[in-house]
Amino acid sequence: MRRMKPEQYVKRILDFACQRDVSDIFFLPQKDKMIIKMREIDGIHDYQLLEADFAVGVINYLKFTSDMDISEHRRPQAGARNFNFRDQVVNLRLSSLGNYSNKESLVIRLIYPLRQLTQNELNGQQWQDIMNQRGLILFSGPTGSGKTTAMYQLTKKYSQHKIVLAIEDPVEVIEPDFLQIQVNKRAQMSYADLIRTSLRHRPDILILGEIRDEESSEMAIRAALSGHLVISTVHARNKFAVIGRMMELGISQRELHSVLNCVIYQRLILQTTGIVKAYRDVLLEENLSQAIQIPQSNYSDWQTMLQIDYKKGLLDEQTYQKYKTG
């Protein structure tokens, strides 16, 4: 390991991660070592234990190539760079932070190109009709659940001859057919500022990476009310909790009745067949209207969906127990 240069090691570990569709790589300091862990679809796995001095060289190389300050080891930093894998560009988002003893940790998030996973796409006349409406579509699910991929796939499939504008922080998926704008707080380009500006560009469809506060939720509703189709994500534990979360962010039931077309809660789950399936719990039409009128939070529909595949043998007991509450 000591004979290998940091840049050689970085290429090796990134090649390995991309081959396995790893979503995150963790460099975590221990007493006199550095352990590397990787997040895959079935959980977090140990990858390797490095000598501390070699690990510092690897982290410094990653920071240097990501426009981060290699002399700063305690304060949090963020950076970005690309990695070429099999003629495709994988975007890397880096975050570093020192612990109580000034030993630095680093996390790399890997953002892959938009993939055509046909078995996971939202297909059918129903989705065609939804995409032809004005209003608001909300996706929810934890980090790594494929929300952004689903938003882009759905939009790309049903946006022929339409202008699509996407606002993200940061841009995760590069899509040449869309006008993509990145939040830049230093340049006073917040979500709300960019939404206001974007409406003057008269897009047919507006993609917002995330509704995260009262200001962005208000601007998303305003955009939907002004005649646009807005597609975004919001953090919630199930499809019903999405409505409650929007109300916590200051959106009234009347406004939700006026603009909300669809809510999708999503998780990517590894089946016993080795296939990763996007499980989606959807609120539409009458069920959506009832959920807005009487806010609730339960997992019955989600659990029923998982139980069907559990009984078919597509999910094992451990997987079912892990995901049954969303």
Side-chain angles (χ1 to χ4, degrees), residues 113-125:
L114 185 62
R115 299 175 179 182
Q116 298 304 317
L117 302 176
T118 55
Q119 73 272 20
N120 283 330
E121 286 185 354
L122 293 156
N123 293 308
Q125 185 61 46

mmCIF file with all atom_site columns, all heavy atoms in Angstrom, residues 113-125:
data_model
loop_
_atom_site.group_PDB
_atom_site.id
_atom_site.type_symbol
_atom_site.label_atom_id
_atom_site.label_alt_id
_atom_site.label_comp_id
_atom_site.label_asym_id
_atom_site.label_entity_id
_atom_site.label_seq_id
_atom_site.pdbx_PDB_ins_code
_atom_site.Cartn_x
_atom_site.Cartn_y
_atom_site.Cartn_z
_atom_site.occupancy
_atom_site.B_iso_or_equiv
_atom_site.pdbx_formal_charge
_atom_site.auth_seq_id
_atom_site.auth_comp_id
_atom_site.auth_asym_id
_atom_site.auth_atom_id
_atom_site.pdbx_PDB_model_num
ATOM 1   N N   . PRO A 1 113 ? -24.686 8.994  -13.761 1.00 0.00 ? 113 PRO A N   1
ATOM 2   C CA  . PRO A 1 113 ? -25.506 9.525  -14.850 1.00 0.00 ? 113 PRO A CA  1
ATOM 3   C C   . PRO A 1 113 ? -26.907 8.918  -14.817 1.00 0.00 ? 113 PRO A C   1
ATOM 4   O O   . PRO A 1 113 ? -27.122 7.839  -14.246 1.00 0.00 ? 113 PRO A O   1
ATOM 5   C CB  . PRO A 1 113 ? -24.752 9.084  -16.119 1.00 0.00 ? 113 PRO A CB  1
ATOM 6   C CG  . PRO A 1 113 ? -23.369 8.758  -15.661 1.00 0.00 ? 113 PRO A CG  1
ATOM 7   C CD  . PRO A 1 113 ? -23.503 8.276  -14.247 1.00 0.00 ? 113 PRO A CD  1
ATOM 8   N N   . LEU A 1 114 ? -27.844 9.636  -15.430 1.00 0.00 ? 114 LEU A N   1
ATOM 9   C CA  . LEU A 1 114 ? -29.218 9.139  -15.502 1.00 0.00 ? 114 LEU A CA  1
ATOM 10  C C   . LEU A 1 114 ? -29.239 7.822  -16.252 1.00 0.00 ? 114 LEU A C   1
ATOM 11  O O   . LEU A 1 114 ? -28.735 7.713  -17.360 1.00 0.00 ? 114 LEU A O   1
ATOM 12  C CB  . LEU A 1 114 ? -30.107 10.160 -16.223 1.00 0.00 ? 114 LEU A CB  1
ATOM 13  C CG  . LEU A 1 114 ? -31.598 9.836  -16.275 1.00 0.00 ? 114 LEU A CG  1
ATOM 14  C CD1 . LEU A 1 114 ? -32.187 9.773  -14.878 1.00 0.00 ? 114 LEU A CD1 1
ATOM 15  C CD2 . LEU A 1 114 ? -32.337 10.871 -17.109 1.00 0.00 ? 114 LEU A CD2 1
ATOM 16  N N   . ARG A 1 115 ? -29.810 6.802  -15.615 1.00 0.00 ? 115 ARG A N   1
ATOM 17  C CA  . ARG A 1 115 ? -29.819 5.480  -16.204 1.00 0.00 ? 115 ARG A CA  1
ATOM 18  C C   . ARG A 1 115 ? -31.219 5.084  -16.623 1.00 0.00 ? 115 ARG A C   1
ATOM 19  O O   . ARG A 1 115 ? -32.201 5.414  -15.957 1.00 0.00 ? 115 ARG A O   1
ATOM 20  C CB  . ARG A 1 115 ? -29.273 4.454  -15.202 1.00 0.00 ? 115 ARG A CB  1
ATOM 21  C CG  . ARG A 1 115 ? -27.836 4.767  -14.800 1.00 0.00 ? 115 ARG A CG  1
ATOM 22  C CD  . ARG A 1 115 ? -27.359 3.837  -13.736 1.00 0.00 ? 115 ARG A CD  1
ATOM 23  N NE  . ARG A 1 115 ? -25.970 4.159  -13.395 1.00 0.00 ? 115 ARG A NE  1
ATOM 24  C CZ  . ARG A 1 115 ? -25.271 3.474  -12.500 1.00 0.00 ? 115 ARG A CZ  1
ATOM 25  N NH1 . ARG A 1 115 ? -25.800 2.463  -11.877 1.00 0.00 ? 115 ARG A NH1 1
ATOM 26  N NH2 . ARG A 1 115 ? -24.026 3.823  -12.244 1.00 0.00 ? 115 ARG A NH2 1
ATOM 27  N N   . GLN A 1 116 ? -31.284 4.349  -17.705 1.00 0.00 ? 116 GLN A N   1
ATOM 28  C CA  . GLN A 1 116 ? -32.581 3.913  -18.226 1.00 0.00 ? 116 GLN A CA  1
ATOM 29  C C   . GLN A 1 116 ? -32.951 2.566  -17.616 1.00 0.00 ? 116 GLN A C   1
ATOM 30  O O   . GLN A 1 116 ? -32.763 1.508  -18.205 1.00 0.00 ? 116 GLN A O   1
ATOM 31  C CB  . GLN A 1 116 ? -32.517 3.822  -19.753 1.00 0.00 ? 116 GLN A CB  1
ATOM 32  C CG  . GLN A 1 116 ? -32.216 5.152  -20.428 1.00 0.00 ? 116 GLN A CG  1
ATOM 33  C CD  . GLN A 1 116 ? -33.207 6.236  -20.048 1.00 0.00 ? 116 GLN A CD  1
ATOM 34  O OE1 . GLN A 1 116 ? -34.415 5.990  -19.988 1.00 0.00 ? 116 GLN A OE1 1
ATOM 35  N NE2 . GLN A 1 116 ? -32.719 7.430  -19.783 1.00 0.00 ? 116 GLN A NE2 1
ATOM 36  N N   . LEU A 1 117 ? -33.425 2.598  -16.382 1.00 0.00 ? 117 LEU A N   1
ATOM 37  C CA  . LEU A 1 117 ? -33.866 1.387  -15.708 1.00 0.00 ? 117 LEU A CA  1
ATOM 38  C C   . LEU A 1 117 ? -35.350 1.184  -16.005 1.00 0.00 ? 117 LEU A C   1
ATOM 39  O O   . LEU A 1 117 ? -36.227 1.626  -15.278 1.00 0.00 ? 117 LEU A O   1
ATOM 40  C CB  . LEU A 1 117 ? -33.627 1.502  -14.201 1.00 0.00 ? 117 LEU A CB  1
ATOM 41  C CG  . LEU A 1 117 ? -32.173 1.766  -13.780 1.00 0.00 ? 117 LEU A CG  1
ATOM 42  C CD1 . LEU A 1 117 ? -32.076 1.959  -12.288 1.00 0.00 ? 117 LEU A CD1 1
ATOM 43  C CD2 . LEU A 1 117 ? -31.284 0.615  -14.223 1.00 0.00 ? 117 LEU A CD2 1
ATOM 44  N N   . THR A 1 118 ? -35.625 0.494  -17.095 1.00 0.00 ? 118 THR A N   1
ATOM 45  C CA  . THR A 1 118 ? -37.003 0.418  -17.585 1.00 0.00 ? 118 THR A CA  1
ATOM 46  C C   . THR A 1 118 ? -37.935 -0.230 -16.580 1.00 0.00 ? 118 THR A C   1
ATOM 47  O O   . THR A 1 118 ? -39.113 0.121  -16.503 1.00 0.00 ? 118 THR A O   1
ATOM 48  C CB  . THR A 1 118 ? -37.049 -0.353 -18.912 1.00 0.00 ? 118 THR A CB  1
ATOM 49  O OG1 . THR A 1 118 ? -36.431 -1.641 -18.736 1.00 0.00 ? 118 THR A OG1 1
ATOM 50  C CG2 . THR A 1 118 ? -36.298 0.392  -20.000 1.00 0.00 ? 118 THR A CG2 1
ATOM 51  N N   . GLN A 1 119 ? -37.431 -1.184 -15.787 1.00 0.00 ? 119 GLN A N   1
ATOM 52  C CA  . GLN A 1 119 ? -38.318 -1.851 -14.846 1.00 0.00 ? 119 GLN A CA  1
ATOM 53  C C   . GLN A 1 119 ? -38.719 -0.942 -13.693 1.00 0.00 ? 119 GLN A C   1
ATOM 54  O O   . GLN A 1 119 ? -39.630 -1.253 -12.945 1.00 0.00 ? 119 GLN A O   1
ATOM 55  C CB  . GLN A 1 119 ? -37.651 -3.125 -14.285 1.00 0.00 ? 119 GLN A CB  1
ATOM 56  C CG  . GLN A 1 119 ? -36.514 -2.875 -13.290 1.00 0.00 ? 119 GLN A CG  1
ATOM 57  C CD  . GLN A 1 119 ? -35.187 -2.721 -13.974 1.00 0.00 ? 119 GLN A CD  1
ATOM 58  O OE1 . GLN A 1 119 ? -35.117 -2.430 -15.156 1.00 0.00 ? 119 GLN A OE1 1
ATOM 59  N NE2 . GLN A 1 119 ? -34.111 -2.921 -13.232 1.00 0.00 ? 119 GLN A NE2 1
ATOM 60  N N   . ASN A 1 120 ? -38.015 0.205  -13.553 1.00 0.00 ? 120 ASN A N   1
ATOM 61  C CA  . ASN A 1 120 ? -38.309 1.116  -12.462 1.00 0.00 ? 120 ASN A CA  1
ATOM 62  C C   . ASN A 1 120 ? -38.960 2.417  -12.929 1.00 0.00 ? 120 ASN A C   1
ATOM 63  O O   . ASN A 1 120 ? -39.201 3.315  -12.133 1.00 0.00 ? 120 ASN A O   1
ATOM 64  C CB  . ASN A 1 120 ? -37.020 1.454  -11.691 1.00 0.00 ? 120 ASN A CB  1
ATOM 65  C CG  . ASN A 1 120 ? -36.593 0.327  -10.777 1.00 0.00 ? 120 ASN A CG  1
ATOM 66  O OD1 . ASN A 1 120 ? -37.430 -0.421 -10.284 1.00 0.00 ? 120 ASN A OD1 1
ATOM 67  N ND2 . ASN A 1 120 ? -35.308 0.180  -10.559 1.00 0.00 ? 120 ASN A ND2 1
ATOM 68  N N   . GLU A 1 121 ? -39.210 2.544  -14.211 1.00 0.00 ? 121 GLU A N   1
ATOM 69  C CA  . GLU A 1 121 ? -39.779 3.781  -14.712 1.00 0.00 ? 121 GLU A CA  1
ATOM 70  C C   . GLU A 1 121 ? -41.268 3.890  -14.392 1.00 0.00 ? 121 GLU A C   1
ATOM 71  O O   . GLU A 1 121 ? -41.969 2.892  -14.214 1.00 0.00 ? 121 GLU A O   1
ATOM 72  C CB  . GLU A 1 121 ? -39.570 3.884  -16.224 1.00 0.00 ? 121 GLU A CB  1
ATOM 73  C CG  . GLU A 1 121 ? -38.134 4.203  -16.622 1.00 0.00 ? 121 GLU A CG  1
ATOM 74  C CD  . GLU A 1 121 ? -38.000 4.424  -18.113 1.00 0.00 ? 121 GLU A CD  1
ATOM 75  O OE1 . GLU A 1 121 ? -38.987 4.224  -18.835 1.00 0.00 ? 121 GLU A OE1 1
ATOM 76  O OE2 . GLU A 1 121 ? -36.898 4.796  -18.550 1.00 0.00 ? 121 GLU A OE2 1
ATOM 77  N N   . LEU A 1 122 ? -41.717 5.130  -14.335 1.00 0.00 ? 122 LEU A N   1
ATOM 78  C CA  . LEU A 1 122 ? -43.149 5.406  -14.158 1.00 0.00 ? 122 LEU A CA  1
ATOM 79  C C   . LEU A 1 122 ? -43.781 5.481  -15.547 1.00 0.00 ? 122 LEU A C   1
ATOM 80  O O   . LEU A 1 122 ? -43.584 6.439  -16.277 1.00 0.00 ? 122 LEU A O   1
ATOM 81  C CB  . LEU A 1 122 ? -43.329 6.723  -13.396 1.00 0.00 ? 122 LEU A CB  1
ATOM 82  C CG  . LEU A 1 122 ? -42.858 6.684  -11.938 1.00 0.00 ? 122 LEU A CG  1
ATOM 83  C CD1 . LEU A 1 122 ? -42.523 8.061  -11.432 1.00 0.00 ? 122 LEU A CD1 1
ATOM 84  C CD2 . LEU A 1 122 ? -43.916 6.042  -11.053 1.00 0.00 ? 122 LEU A CD2 1
ATOM 85  N N   . ASN A 1 123 ? -44.525 4.437  -15.911 1.00 0.00 ? 123 ASN A N   1
ATOM 86  C CA  . ASN A 1 123 ? -45.076 4.326  -17.255 1.00 0.00 ? 123 ASN A CA  1
ATOM 87  C C   . ASN A 1 123 ? -46.598 4.361  -17.229 1.00 0.00 ? 123 ASN A C   1
ATOM 88  O O   . ASN A 1 123 ? -47.236 4.217  -16.190 1.00 0.00 ? 123 ASN A O   1
ATOM 89  C CB  . ASN A 1 123 ? -44.623 3.001  -17.906 1.00 0.00 ? 123 ASN A CB  1
ATOM 90  C CG  . ASN A 1 123 ? -43.131 2.979  -18.174 1.00 0.00 ? 123 ASN A CG  1
ATOM 91  O OD1 . ASN A 1 123 ? -42.601 3.880  -18.789 1.00 0.00 ? 123 ASN A OD1 1
ATOM 92  N ND2 . ASN A 1 123 ? -42.463 1.936  -17.702 1.00 0.00 ? 123 ASN A ND2 1
ATOM 93  N N   . GLY A 1 124 ? -47.176 4.537  -18.388 1.00 0.00 ? 124 GLY A N   1
ATOM 94  C CA  . GLY A 1 124 ? -48.619 4.383  -18.534 1.00 0.00 ? 124 GLY A CA  1
ATOM 95  C C   . GLY A 1 124 ? -49.352 5.681  -18.795 1.00 0.00 ? 124 GLY A C   1
ATOM 96  O O   . GLY A 1 124 ? -48.833 6.785  -18.606 1.00 0.00 ? 124 GLY A O   1
ATOM 97  N N   . GLN A 1 125 ? -50.591 5.516  -19.223 1.00 0.00 ? 125 GLN A N   1
ATOM 98  C CA  . GLN A 1 125 ? -51.427 6.659  -19.557 1.00 0.00 ? 125 GLN A CA  1
ATOM 99  C C   . GLN A 1 125 ? -51.683 7.539  -18.340 1.00 0.00 ? 125 GLN A C   1
ATOM 100 O O   . GLN A 1 125 ? -51.801 8.765  -18.456 1.00 0.00 ? 125 GLN A O   1
ATOM 101 C CB  . GLN A 1 125 ? -52.759 6.175  -20.145 1.00 0.00 ? 125 GLN A CB  1
ATOM 102 C CG  . GLN A 1 125 ? -53.672 7.295  -20.642 1.00 0.00 ? 125 GLN A CG  1
ATOM 103 C CD  . GLN A 1 125 ? -53.031 8.104  -21.757 1.00 0.00 ? 125 GLN A CD  1
ATOM 104 O OE1 . GLN A 1 125 ? -52.468 7.523  -22.693 1.00 0.00 ? 125 GLN A OE1 1
ATOM 105 N NE2 . GLN A 1 125 ? -53.110 9.425  -21.670 1.00 0.00 ? 125 GLN A NE2 1
#
